[in-house]
Amino acid sequence: MSEELYNYIDGQWQRSAAADYVDVTNPATDEVLARAPLSPAAEVDRAAQAAQRAFEAWRRVPVVERVQYLYKLKALLEEHVDELARLITQECGKTFRESVGELRRGIENVEVACGTPSLIQGYNNEDIARGIDEHMFRQPVGVVAAITPFNFPGMIPLWFLPYAIACGNCFILKPSEKTPLTARRLFELLDDLGLPPGVVQLVNGARETVEAILDHPAIRAISFVGSTPVAKAIYRRAADRGKRVQAQGGAKNPVIIMPDADMEMAVRVVAESAYGCAGQRCLALADAITVGDAHDLFLEMMADRAAGLKVGYGLDEGVEMGPVITRESKARVEGLIALAEQEGARVVVDGRGKRVPGYEGGYFVFPTLLDRVPPESQVERTEIFGPVLSVFHVRDMEEAIRLVNSRQYGNMASIFTTSGAHARRFRYEANAGNIGINIGVAAPMAFYPFSGWNESFFGDLHAQGRHAIEFYTQTKVVVERWG
Ligand code: NAD
């Protein structure tokens, strides 16, 4: 019988009274690692009440003292990077190197949140009228919650938790039920910090647990990261209950390959973006739009690259790409490759039906390259979220930008070019919130907002940096006169 995961509420690990549990599997080996409870609404209520009780005292702890816990957290995370990275690889499938990279980006958010004493400052004026002064302060919102996806189980909770508590809020995390083990270990480390009970909570579960969070009157702000249909539903439901919401959705990121691009670099960097993490990054490049003469050389070089990547278990030496997250996900991605073929695309490198020796039960889809995908096809409008790169061919930059801007998503768009004029035009005109110029994964550093647009984001304040501080605080303006 595999291990049952507990919730962390009011400073204690508590067994869930859930009627149902879901298996957490290692996608490379198909081994069941643990069972995650689908926690009922009563447990969300317990977490929210514990957080509410803790809030009155926590908000009064000076911010310079609150961030001391984050300095300790940073040190603990550094000490446990290898162990956490192994865990990420085991439950999520990405390579060990990718898991370490993910943690580095998470730790960077802890570092930035350590600067909250300056970031949270307000502003003021003397004499807005004679003898009258005006001040703006930032105060915490109260109890806040984050609902996170499977694909970055270490980094994404850290987009939210450090800022939320540094600003004086109490925090509830509902991690993905597919990858809850990293969150469990993170909370074991948080438990070692000696935070007052109730400041941070972990509640496992899926849809019903999330709905209980959205409906709970004591929870004032919701941060969500996941697929677009769920992001939309969460945005609506939480907003309807008067909460502030930031909901990051799915993506299908395009890259333009200009004929003047450094083709060796473009192919290497685009392949890393499209096939790294088995294509399960919200900043993965999924569509390559080749302009003019770029097409044939790009396709030929990318086909070599895709066919040559070493696929396997991410903890094994030399492996460059791991499996997708579940057996259903493998079937879905393979089904979409078949659909692309039916819709008229050419399968140049076919990753379907392949096995990794020693890991026959793993959910592997090998790197796949599609050419001449019809721009209006169903597959083109679907987020594949697997190691599939689709190539489109256009005549000129005008047409390429039109194709980039015709999409429902707007998480990221990239261009590969050696022309400053092309780069500038693209940067100015592309309809996406994160732009890469000769970059494959334009992930903003923690001191910049993670700026998805269109159907990749619902809300206004994004994750990370100053946006996070604004999201987790409410402004209070004081006008005062003293005789
Ligand atoms: P998902 O939408 O299936 O799940 C995300 C979270 O929502 C999980 O915690 C899950 O338990 C919960 N959930 C699922 N269905 C729900 C429902 N009907 N009602 C309420 N809650 C529900 O996403 P996923 O498969 O875990 O993650 C992959 C998706 O996340 C991709 O679409 C990817 O593009 C996106 N993503 C986006 C970003 C970004 O920054 N925009 C970052 C990472 C991942």
Side-chain angles (χ1 to χ4, degrees):
M1 193 69 162
S2 55
E3 187 195 1
E4 225 174 66
L5 298 180
Y6 280 30
N7 294 327
Y8 184 81
I9 297 174
D10 211 8
Q12 288 182 334
W13 289 101
Q14 301 187 4
R15 182 162 191 264
S16 172
D20 295 309
Y21 278 72
V22 287
D23 286 345
V24 182
T25 53
N26 179 329
T29 63
D30 193 32
E31 171 202 1
V32 177
L33 300 169
R35 296 163 68 234
L38 300 180
S39 303
E43 286 164 16
V44 169
D45 181 50
R46 212 183 304 146
Q49 288 199 32
Q52 185 73 59
R53 279 194 303 276
F55 175 63
E56 282 311 318
W58 182 243
R59 64 163 290 204
R60 287 176 163 75
V61 175
V63 62
V64 284
E65 285 178 36
R66 290 197 299 254
V67 298
Q68 297 309 316
Y69 293 97
L70 297 183
Y71 284 104
K72 278 198 232 164
L73 177 62
K74 142 100 177 148
L76 272 182
L77 289 169
E78 294 286 1
E79 222 176 277
H80 292 86
V81 162
D82 280 9
E83 177 205 339
L84 283 161
R86 284 180 70 81
L87 205 50
I88 293 174
T89 297
Q90 281 164 350
E91 66 174 352
C92 187
K94 61 184 70 173
T95 66
F96 180 75
R97 192 179 63 83
E98 289 167 341
S99 298
V100 172
E102 155 172 6
L103 284 166
R104 293 253 57 91
R105 304 310 298 259
I107 292 171
E108 196 183 288
N109 277 279
V110 181
E111 292 166 356
V112 172
C114 285
T116 302
S118 338
L119 294 169
I120 204 172
Q121 285 175 329
Y123 44 84
N124 48 40
N125 292 77
E126 275 183 339
D127 292 323
I128 47 136
R130 282 185 180 73
I132 299 181
D133 305 330
E134 186 157 341
H135 314 266
M136 189 277 274
F137 297 95
R138 290 193 173 279
Q139 295 196 337
V141 173
V143 180
V144 302
I147 298 141
T148 53
F150 79 81
N151 64 332
F152 284 96
M155 175 183 75
I156 293 184
L158 294 174
W159 279 357
F160 306 113
L161 183 149
Y163 303 100
I165 64 171
C167 288
N169 303 282
C170 293
F171 180 83
I172 300 171
L173 175 67
K174 203 302 284 172
S176 168
E177 67 281 16
K178 297 184 181 115
T179 55
L181 290 169
T182 310
R184 192 260 301 262
R185 189 68 190 114
L186 175 65
F187 271 72
E188 285 171 355
L189 299 179
L190 287 164
D191 187 52
D192 289 344
L193 299 181
L195 280 163
V199 172
V200 293
Q201 254 79 218
L202 171 68
V203 182
N204 288 288
R207 180 179 183 154
E208 280 170 30
T209 315
V210 172
E211 289 176 348
I213 290 174
L214 303 178
D215 292 348
H216 200 289
I219 300 173
R220 303 302 312 140
I222 303 290
S223 303
F224 172 83
V225 183
S227 57
T228 290
V230 181
K232 257 189 203 168
I234 282 187
Y235 186 67
R236 280 204 201 97
R237 188 157 173 160
D240 189 50
R241 280 140 185 80
K243 301 181 198 305
R244 50 174 74 182
V245 199
Q246 46 182 196
Q248 300 187 210
K252 188 154 196 189
N253 304 303
V255 55
I256 297 178
I257 311 290
M258 295 301 289
D260 60 26
D262 171 341
M263 206 53 89
E264 189 281 321
M265 174 179 72
V267 169
R268 178 169 43 81
V269 175
V270 173
E272 207 296 303
S273 175
Y275 302 127
C277 298
Q280 300 173 120
R281 272 196 285 233
C282 67
L283 295 180
L285 287 171
D287 291 346
I289 303 166
T290 55
V291 175
D293 291 346
H295 178 264
D296 293 359
L297 183 58
F298 178 80
L299 191 71
E300 187 190 321
M301 289 173 73
M302 186 56 83
D304 277 355
R305 188 101 195 161
L309 283 173
K310 181 160 188 223
V311 181
Y313 185 19
L315 290 183
D316 289 346
E317 205 58 40
V319 166
E320 292 169 296
M321 195 187 97
V324 294
I325 187 69
T326 55
R327 185 172 293 118
E328 297 71 46
S329 180
K330 172 177 158 76
R332 194 183 55 81
V333 173
E334 293 187 340
L336 285 165
I337 300 169
L339 175 66
E341 212 171 9
Q342 280 162 27
E343 290 187 306
R346 188 164 74 87
V347 184
V348 181
V349 179
D350 192 346
R352 290 172 291 181
K354 302 257 169 64
R355 287 182 181 278
V356 174
Y359 299 103
E360 279 73 15
Y363 320 138
F364 294 100
V365 180
F366 279 48
T368 297
L369 184 64
L370 305 174
D371 187 30
R372 312 235 174 219
V373 179
E376 295 307 317
S377 57
Q378 193 187 328
V379 81
E380 167 42 20
R381 280 180 272 117
T382 308
E383 180 184 29
I384 299 179
F385 221 54
V388 180
L389 180 67
S390 302
V391 179
F392 302 78
H393 183 48
V394 298
R395 268 162 313 171
D396 53 27
M397 191 172 179
E398 190 80 34
E399 209 184 324
I401 291 183
R402 210 175 315 124
L403 197 52
V404 166
N405 289 349
S406 67
R407 274 127 212 282
Q408 71 183 109
Y409 299 110
N411 221 28
M412 183 187 81
S414 288
I415 188 168
F416 281 77
T417 181
T418 49
S419 151
H422 289 149
R424 199 222 176 239
R425 177 176 175 196
F426 178 75
R427 186 183 80 191
Y428 192 81
E429 293 184 11
N431 215 338
N434 299 297
I435 298 290
I437 295 177
N438 297 317
I439 296 288
V441 180
M445 298 292 284
F447 32 92
Y448 286 90
F450 195 103
S451 297
W453 283 11
N454 308 331
E455 300 241 315
S456 295
F457 182 73
F458 304 92
D460 60 351
L461 293 167
H462 295 87
Q464 301 197 142
R466 290 196 191 109
H467 274 220
I469 302 287
E470 285 188 42
F471 185 75
Y472 288 126
T473 54
Q474 46 197 346
T475 54
K476 180 177 272 182
V477 175
V478 179
V479 184
E480 65 181 24
R481 166 165 42 205
W482 291 100

